[in-house]
Amino acid sequence: MDRQNDSSGGKRRLVVVGGGIAGSLLAESLQFDADVTLIDPKEYFEITWASLRAMVEPSFGKRSVINHKDYLRNGRIIASKAINITDTDVLTADGGIFPFDYLVIATGHVESVPKTRAERLAEYEAENEKIKSAHSMLIVGGGPTGVELAGEIAVDFPEKKVTLVHSGSRLMEFIGPKAANKALKWLRSKNVDVKLEQRVDLNSVPELDDNGTRIYHSSGGETIKADCHFLCIGKPLGSAWLKGTVLENNLDNQGCLVVDEHLRVKGQKNIFAIGDITNIPEMKQGYLAQSHAEVAAKNLKLLMAEGKASKMAIYKPNSSRIAIVSLGRRDAVAQFPLITISGLIPGMIKSRDLFVGKTRKQRGLDPDDA
């Protein structure tokens, strides 16, 4: 194994594990304040909430899939999986050993995506061909991903039959019933067949009818015909790799890293955790993960400048349960503290650009460049 970045030019060595929403922003923010190493299995950062639009409009992915090197111009990028942490080093699957003075864990949820940007964009092209060639589609899962995908397809391909099956009694249990009901009403107005409190077994090989269309069976005894399906259920936390490391005892029963009010891993002075992997009691949303990154970056700057730890910023969990779920290109449903609305107004906030321009700008990139 090779020990890397021992020569830091006098700067503190900061290792960031995970190049998603939170990790990419923190690495970009501190690239001129520390000797930054970003460890991520893939060579790019993806604006995840824009991925569904890229499935119906592949060119959209050219703005939402961004090579790490495009925003991290003064850092080291290691396209490999982190497999272990000691008190002083991070070890990677390709044999690298990366010493750190400060460490940030931002591994979010497990994503099965290719290593290069070109391969990811090719996946979007393939998904688009899958949608275009199908007359009917089954979406399994009525969380925000399933709802937004159904909305994207229903608007761009209104002639296609879309069936959405969800095991819950209402869509998107993470938000209130009023917002969920508005989303359901909108989907049904676009002829999406929504089936609640049912499951579909995707492990068995589906039957085919005389036209070659697949036949799926729901737990409610219904027969669903579709040319293809999309699985839109929750992904596991990216924390399994921490078992057996020095942070093993810092994981709670759900696999989240326990952090203090400053976003430091509890009991650790120089290790932070940000984004979905933390045990912070709030909804797991991209804009909150970016808020974690901003607070952690501020605290790391203070510590690296040998400021007093007592002066560190405090992260206050967001309990407002604000959420905006895109419904196609123009509409959305938005849940705010005092009101829930749907239609063009919340659509103007999110659906047209899906915050892609804003997210690119936060990382020092041209909002409109591809």
Side-chain angles (χ1 to χ4, degrees):
M1 287 193 173
D2 298 322
R3 204 159 195 266
Q4 311 277 330
N5 75 322
D6 270 331
S7 177
S8 58
K11 290 182 177 180
R12 297 298 180 95
R13 296 166 301 185
L14 170 64
V15 174
V16 181
V17 182
I21 296 296
S24 64
L25 183 58
L26 183 133
E28 191 278 335
S29 300
L30 295 177
Q31 62 181 314
F32 297 106
D33 298 282
D35 177 43
V36 176
T37 298
L38 176 65
I39 298 174
D40 191 63
K42 58 192 188 312
E43 297 174 358
Y44 56 90
F45 151 63
E46 181 165 13
I47 304 173
T48 50
W49 56 82
S51 61
L52 304 174
R53 177 70 52 81
M55 289 171 64
V56 300
E57 183 188 342
S59 61
F60 198 79
K62 294 178 181 178
R63 292 175 58 231
S64 62
V65 181
I66 303 158
N67 279 321
H68 290 312
K69 65 182 181 180
D70 289 345
Y71 68 86
L72 190 60
R73 303 179 184 90
N74 195 44
R76 188 178 296 102
I77 300 162
I78 307 300
S80 181
K81 286 184 178 180
I83 58 172
N84 196 11
I85 298 172
T86 69
D87 289 323
T88 57
D89 304 289
V90 177
L91 286 67
T92 58
D94 61 359
I97 303 176
F98 299 90
F100 62 83
D101 297 304
Y102 294 95
L103 171 65
V104 178
I105 308 296
T107 44
H109 286 83
V110 175
E111 294 280 349
S112 180
V113 293
K115 185 172 183 176
T116 71
R117 179 177 183 266
E119 289 172 318
R120 185 60 171 142
L121 295 179
E123 276 193 345
Y124 286 137
E125 293 284 357
E127 294 280 28
N128 183 248
E129 286 301 319
K130 177 179 172 181
I131 292 170
K132 287 195 297 186
S133 62
H135 295 290
S136 54
M137 283 159 278
L138 167 64
I139 296 173
V140 179
T145 302
V147 168
E148 290 196 346
L149 178 58
E152 293 286 342
I153 295 173
V155 168
D156 275 34
F157 300 96
E159 74 284 1
K160 298 182 185 294
K161 171 67 175 175
V162 178
T163 302
L164 187 154
V165 176
H166 182 54
S167 61
S169 59
R170 63 180 176 84
L171 298 173
M172 303 184 296
E173 287 96 335
F174 80 104
I175 59 176
K178 190 173 182 180
N181 289 336
K182 285 181 179 292
L184 176 62
K185 183 178 179 180
W186 185 93
L187 287 173
R188 286 178 169 163
S189 76
K190 301 299 181 184
N191 297 318
V192 175
D193 184 6
V194 179
K195 300 180 185 296
L196 299 174
E197 298 185 89
Q198 297 193 54
R199 299 175 183 273
V200 175
D201 180 13
L202 297 176
N203 293 320
S204 60
V205 179
E207 306 166 32
L208 299 178
D209 69 6
D210 295 339
N211 297 317
T213 302
R214 298 176 183 181
I215 302 174
Y216 300 87
H217 299 283
S218 78
S219 58
E222 295 192 51
T223 297
I224 301 166
K225 292 187 177 183
D227 295 317
C228 63
H229 74 266
F230 297 95
L231 185 60
C232 299
I233 60 174
K235 300 179 177 69
L237 281 172
S239 60
W241 70 282
L242 292 170
K243 296 175 182 177
T245 75
V246 295
L247 297 182
E248 180 175 22
N249 295 328
N250 299 104
L251 294 168
D252 68 11
N253 293 334
Q254 283 72 48
C256 298
L257 276 172
V258 180
V259 296
D260 64 17
E261 60 187 358
H262 308 297
L263 300 179
R264 283 193 297 193
V265 175
K266 279 233 172 140
Q268 304 287 339
K269 292 186 176 180
N270 63 336
I271 302 178
F272 288 72
I274 56 177
D276 288 358
I277 201 168
T278 67
N279 72 322
I280 296 171
E282 61 186 9
M283 291 195 292
K284 305 298 186 184
Q285 294 182 286
Y287 81 96
L288 295 178
Q290 293 186 120
S291 295
H292 294 186
E294 291 166 359
V295 171
K298 187 181 296 184
N299 289 336
L300 283 161
K301 280 185 182 180
L302 177 74
L303 295 176
M304 288 188 292
E306 299 184 356
K308 293 182 179 179
S310 60
K311 299 289 186 182
M312 284 197 295
I314 293 173
Y315 181 80
K316 297 179 180 179
N318 189 310
S319 59
S320 64
R321 301 189 72 81
I322 293 174
I324 304 178
V325 177
S326 179
L327 300 171
R329 293 176 181 269
R330 300 176 61 208
D331 297 328
V333 58
Q335 175 179 281
F336 299 114
L338 300 177
I339 189 173
T340 296
I341 57 175
S342 62
L344 293 175
I345 294 176
M348 290 175 66
I349 299 173
K350 179 182 179 181
S351 300
R352 291 184 180 179
D353 186 56
L354 301 175
F355 302 129
V356 169
K358 179 181 179 181
T359 307
R360 289 178 60 87
K361 193 173 180 180
Q362 285 175 319
R363 287 154 185 77
L365 300 171
D366 186 319
D368 302 313
D369 200 10

